[in-house]
Amino acid sequence: MRQLYIKQKVFSLSGKFTVKDQEEKDRYYVEGSFMKVPKTFSIMNASKDEVALITKKTFSFLPKFFVEVNGQEALTIKKELSFLKARYTIDAAGIEVQGNWWDMDFQVLQHGKIVGEVGKEWFTWGDSYRVKVINEEMETLMIALVIAIDCVKADEAAASSVN
């Protein structure tokens, strides 16, 4: 089992940040393309090899984000039509998210078995999301999922500030 930490409000105009381990060592590097279309976030391992890519679909009636892990489409986060409040769903083969993922407090299950947990933590180096990876084979997917959800939340906040 491994614990990783992603600083809250990671999306700045520079679009670059790191994912750290318990010893505060950089484990992943994330770079966003804020000024390009489509908007993407590349996740790289410690060797700077791309291991995941998040892409916001352009020209879509409702927002949709695609997450690729190791070159394979892993999951999709899409906004559903709702009159009361924003509702998003996560589609992934064999992957289920239980809990309040909008507030970053959830478990990730693969075929009914818990493979990871996400929650908020407060450390000396700032508020962060704690990503507990139980099945280390799912580590990259877990990091990509958390960053994708944060990207969706930032996109939703930007859209609601325009209205």
Side-chain angles (χ1 to χ4, degrees):
M1 183 185 73
R2 178 176 289 143
Q3 298 218 43
L4 301 169
Y5 301 92
I6 304 171
K7 248 184 171 342
Q8 277 185 271
K9 302 201 181 13
V10 292
F11 298 108
S12 64
L13 284 177
S14 71
K16 291 183 181 183
F17 61 95
T18 58
V19 176
K20 298 183 180 296
D21 63 14
Q22 288 131 286
E23 289 82 39
E24 295 190 35
K25 292 183 181 138
D26 294 342
R27 297 287 306 206
Y28 293 92
Y29 300 92
V30 181
E31 290 185 17
S33 66
F34 280 96
M35 301 303 172
K36 293 182 184 171
V37 175
K39 192 184 298 184
T40 63
F41 289 91
S42 176
I43 302 169
M44 294 160 284
N45 62 17
S47 305
K48 300 275 186 154
D49 298 319
E50 185 176 88
V51 294
L53 182 67
I54 301 162
T55 306
K56 180 181 179 188
K57 183 174 183 189
T58 53
F59 311 116
S60 177
F61 176 65
L62 294 172
K64 189 182 281 189
F65 295 81
F66 298 103
V67 179
E68 292 177 23
V69 175
N70 297 319
Q72 302 291 314
E73 189 172 315
L75 61 99
T76 303
I77 302 175
K78 58 185 176 181
K79 187 173 186 176
E80 299 292 333
L81 199 53
S82 171
F83 295 108
L84 301 175
K85 66 176 192 163
R87 215 185 98 182
Y88 288 81
T89 58
I90 298 173
D91 292 332
I95 303 293
E96 186 181 346
V97 178
Q98 292 183 346
N100 187 343
W101 60 271
W102 195 255
D103 287 333
M104 300 308 246
D105 183 22
F106 59 87
Q107 294 180 322
V108 177
L109 292 85
Q110 182 180 38
H111 306 295
K113 186 176 179 187
I114 297 172
V115 295
E117 298 174 345
V118 175
K120 287 188 180 175
E121 293 281 320
W122 288 268
F123 285 90
T124 55
W125 42 281
D127 294 350
S128 63
Y129 303 130
R130 174 190 38 80
V131 181
K132 186 159 93 177
V133 181
I134 297 164
N135 178 347
E136 292 189 16
E137 290 176 13
M138 299 295 289
E139 182 173 293
T140 303
L141 179 86
M142 290 287 302
I143 294 302
L145 177 64
V146 172
I147 293 168
I149 290 171
D150 211 44
C151 184
V152 168
K153 289 170 58 173
D155 193 68
E156 181 69 20
S160 65
S161 69
V162 172
N163 296 335

